[in-house]
Amino acid sequence: MKILVAVKQVAALEEDFEFRADGRDVDGDFLVMDLNEWDDYSLEEAVKIKEACGGAVEIVAVSVGPPTVDEALRKCLAKGADRAVRIWDEAMRGSDSIAVARILAAAARAEAPDLLFAGVQSSDQAVAATGIATAGFLGWPHAAVVSQFTYTPGAATAVLRRELEGGLLHELEIRTPAVLTIQLGINTPRYASLRSIKQAAAKPIELRTLADLSLNAAEVGEAGSSARVRRMYVPDKGRAELIEGSAAEQAKRLAAIIRESTGAA
Amino acid sequence: MSGVLVIAEQRRGELRPVSLELLGAAQALGGLPVAVAVLAPNPARFVPALSVPGVAEVITVELAISEFDPDTFESAVGALIRARAPAVVLMAHSVDSFGYAAALAARHGYGFATDVFKVERTGGELIATRGGYGQKVNVEVDFPGRDTVILALRANVFKPPEGTAAPVVSAFEAPAVESRSLGREYIEPPGGDDVDMSTAEFILSIGRGIGEEAKVAQFRELAQALGATLGCSRPIADAGWLPKSRQVGQSGKTASACKLYVAMGVSGAIQHLAGMKHVATIVAVNTDAEASIFSVAKYGIVGDIFEIAEELRRHF
């Protein structure tokens, strides 16, 4: 059996950053990259399934992005992925969630996994769409915001709980192959050992191009996206009135605010 | 129709409040006619609540099941969109819509944006605004060449219309669908201890910034001294440092009675902020001056939470 884990290398902004000349994105020089937090959990969930059945499961981490994404994929290899696949073509630059989903769906058709895991959302753009859009392109059953997952390799269905607003859970049974978007807290992701990090550094990362996946340039990148970014800007910063001074002075003011708000003398 | 189609959201027989907020947002779309669809068993029961000013039509879609099901909703909403050809479809940015909206947009090539907190339409052009890079920037998007655009709107942003109206009520028959998932049951969030965050007026909350479990005790004691209920953000509950019942924010307990919220070491993930923005007085203490929580806080302290906690303790 095979589990495909779709991961994303997310970008955080440096404290001081500048926009690109066209104003439609942040200048790449000001981005700090890392593996998306949610993806850590979906990878761990796949590794747990593999361990529970004694290992007859192949875990393939897949990501869409330029060579810098190899770093995120190596992290996945170090944490238990058997293979890593990076898909890239310059035409894919600027892909939104829907365009990335089209690419992932093509990769999933080629890999034919039994399950496809993705994070609920990414910590940078938080669109919460890539996994379920991938299921849409594939025509596969799908469930979002999965906080508990039970599956025995080879079974025709899996049982899961969706985490709804307010912490309410909804349990359902779903046919496989299926796409599941995995929520934080579903498990406790492991740390990679030094040994596994070293081993991962030596493993190959398989590359796939547009042509490998039988996609054309118009289906990906900005052309294949469901929305067009007009501009990005820094919003008017919130109204927080900063309390200045030493820690003692700040705490004194905080104590006064607490007394005032709670009506305590 | 080329108007606005709003998908109301119900859960366990109750209309979710965001449904009316969507109707408020629909009115800002330059006078396009607004129809609202409600999908449920016996959907007519929701018609009175949805009959508010600005709504031209309430569409009832009878479903056999009351709980959300991805295939059922994708099929029914998809059929409705094809039948009505709306220019804009508004739905909630919610766990239910996470489960089908993107698949629908992907399959049919609709324009699509989620977590939208501002929407405008000028000269026939639809512009939506959402956050980017952990809400540090605003991103303005449009949808050139799309006849239909699905927007999932953030809750607690748009104002629900007030008053009542008498819209046309019509029934839409959803196509039969063989769903590939089967709902079993709802499970109430696990307790853990007997705290009820929904009645707490003063919450002292801790986040990732506390760094390690051993530090929880200091804040537990501080909360007690202040007369506050100790709460936490998601990472603390996920790590098991505090029971899930103490988690506040959108995916945690609704802190509906909270008037004073002191957040220590909580950076402010979007779901956390969305769940707390109703609070009158938010004080954020964080070492990171750029933390998102400062954008919703009334007062901010950039500093070391342990030092501030220690100093604060002396006053109580």
Side-chain angles (χ1 to χ4, degrees):
Chain A
M1 128 171 232
K2 189 190 281 190
I3 305 176
L4 200 58
V5 182
V7 303
K8 179 184 180 186
Q9 190 177 47
V10 292
L13 299 182
E14 287 184 357
E15 202 163 308
D16 294 306
F17 63 90
E18 287 171 18
F19 289 101
R20 248 167 30 191
D22 69 0
R24 296 172 64 228
D25 204 345
V26 172
D27 185 325
D29 288 349
F30 301 92
L31 302 177
V32 184
M33 314 305 284
D34 199 359
L35 179 64
N36 181 35
E37 190 183 356
W38 275 262
D39 303 346
D40 233 349
Y41 291 83
S42 49
L43 180 67
E44 177 67 28
E45 199 59 21
V47 174
K48 277 177 63 188
I49 292 171
K50 177 173 176 156
E51 287 175 347
C53 75
V57 173
E58 183 182 40
I59 301 171
V60 183
V62 58
S63 192
V64 177
T68 49
V69 169
D70 284 352
E71 199 184 327
L73 286 169
R74 293 221 182 272
K75 218 174 198 176
C76 297
L77 288 169
K79 290 184 179 206
D82 298 294
R83 290 169 47 219
V85 176
R86 182 169 63 80
I87 310 165
W88 189 240
D89 187 292
E90 270 308 311
M92 295 177 185
R93 202 170 283 284
S95 294
D96 73 353
S97 296
I98 299 289
V100 168
R102 189 177 284 115
I103 299 164
L104 290 173
R109 279 187 205 103
E111 291 283 347
D114 300 271
L115 295 171
L116 194 164
F117 290 165
V120 166
Q121 61 183 23
S122 59
S123 56
D124 53 359
Q125 309 306 342
V127 177
T130 307
I132 300 303
T134 305
F137 284 121
L138 289 168
W140 286 9
H142 50 86
V145 196
V146 174
S147 65
Q148 196 176 318
F149 188 71
T150 313
Y151 178 69
T152 311
T157 61
V159 175
L160 60 89
R161 289 180 179 179
R162 297 192 300 137
E163 184 191 83
L164 308 179
E165 288 82 359
L168 182 69
L169 301 171
H170 179 220
E171 186 169 289
L172 52 90
E173 189 174 348
I174 191 165
R175 285 187 214 163
T176 59
V179 176
L180 294 318
T181 73
I182 304 294
Q183 174 64 309
L184 302 176
I186 187 173
N187 53 41
T188 308
R190 69 196 63 197
Y191 290 98
S193 68
L194 218 55
R195 187 164 154 265
S196 60
I197 292 170
K198 270 189 192 155
Q199 284 171 341
K203 281 191 187 171
I205 288 174
E206 300 165 38
L207 299 180
R208 303 277 185 277
T209 62
L210 266 185
D212 292 339
L213 299 176
S214 305
L215 290 166
N216 64 61
E219 295 175 294
V220 300
E222 291 193 21
S225 293
S226 62
R228 176 180 69 175
V229 176
R230 291 164 59 98
R231 65 175 182 127
M232 274 189 200
Y233 60 96
V234 177
D236 290 337
K237 271 281 151 66
R239 342 154 239 133
E241 175 195 328
L242 285 188
I243 299 170
E244 311 281 357
S246 66
E249 289 162 347
Q250 290 172 319
K252 190 178 171 194
R253 178 77 200 284
L254 177 52
I257 292 166
I258 290 171
R259 290 220 158 79
E260 199 179 301
S261 307
T262 57
Chain B
M1 155 180 169
S2 50
V4 184
L5 174 65
V6 174
I7 308 298
E9 196 166 299
Q10 63 91 20
R11 179 167 297 154
R12 303 168 106 182
E14 302 267 346
L15 206 59
R16 298 194 64 229
V18 68
S19 303
L20 291 173
E21 297 166 21
L22 300 175
L23 295 175
Q27 291 177 9
L29 292 176
L32 291 177
V34 178
V36 54
V38 56
L39 297 79
N42 181 21
R45 66 192 145 140
F46 299 105
V47 171
L50 294 169
S51 298
V52 294
V55 174
E57 182 184 6
V58 180
I59 306 170
T60 57
V61 185
E62 177 87 39
L63 297 182
I65 50 167
S66 99
E67 73 270 22
F68 172 78
D69 170 74
D71 286 342
T72 304
F73 271 67
E74 196 179 323
S75 161
V77 174
L80 199 49
I81 292 174
R82 286 189 295 281
R84 299 300 188 105
V88 187
V89 180
L90 298 182
M91 49 178 79
H93 185 62
S94 65
V95 175
D96 283 357
S97 83
F98 286 8
Y100 79 103
L104 199 55
R107 284 168 89 110
H108 299 284
Y110 300 137
F112 185 55
T114 66
D115 199 21
V116 170
F117 54 77
K118 184 180 169 199
V119 55
E120 56 205 311
R121 191 173 152 274
T122 41
E125 192 182 29
L126 186 69
I127 299 172
T129 306
R130 65 188 315 281
Y133 295 108
Q135 308 297 316
K136 296 273 169 72
V137 302
N138 281 2
V139 186
E140 217 177 71
V141 297
D142 61 10
F143 312 90
R146 307 286 179 162
D147 294 330
T148 295
V149 176
I150 298 180
L151 299 179
L153 305 188
R154 185 182 289 181
N156 299 317
V157 171
F158 299 94
K159 205 174 166 297
E162 282 172 24
T164 55
V168 173
V169 178
S170 57
F172 178 82
E173 196 169 331
V177 57
E178 194 216 340
S179 180
R180 297 164 298 176
S181 51
L182 178 68
R184 285 180 165 181
E185 57 176 335
Y186 286 103
I187 299 132
E188 297 297 333
D193 56 4
D194 54 3
V195 68
D196 184 0
M197 299 308 284
S198 69
T199 58
E201 294 188 2
F202 174 18
I203 296 172
L204 173 77
S205 196
I206 50 177
R208 236 193 267 261
I210 75 157
E212 52 178 321
E213 187 171 10
K215 305 281 193 193
V216 173
Q218 179 186 356
F219 292 91
R220 192 192 305 277
E221 199 276 331
L222 177 64
Q224 202 169 16
L226 298 179
T229 304
L230 184 66
C232 66
S233 64
R234 167 158 216 135
I236 302 301
D238 279 351
W241 296 355
L242 280 176
K244 202 80 177 160
S245 54
R246 300 233 172 215
Q247 183 186 322
V248 293
Q250 216 165 40
S251 48
K253 283 284 189 182
T254 312
S256 43
C258 186
K259 296 188 177 72
L260 173 61
Y261 183 59
V262 178
M264 305 195 81
V266 176
S267 59
I270 175 64
Q271 279 83 0
H272 190 84
L273 301 183
M276 299 310 290
K277 58 177 283 192
H278 62 282
V279 179
T281 307
I282 297 177
V283 186
V285 186
N286 207 298
T287 44
D288 176 11
E290 301 299 314
S292 305
I293 189 122
F294 289 120
S295 67
V296 298
K298 188 168 179 186
Y299 302 102
I301 293 176
V302 178
D304 180 84
I305 57 168
F306 305 108
E307 215 179 322
I308 298 292
E310 212 169 287
E311 291 289 346
L312 182 61
R313 182 65 186 84
R314 295 180 209 277
H315 294 274
F316 290 86

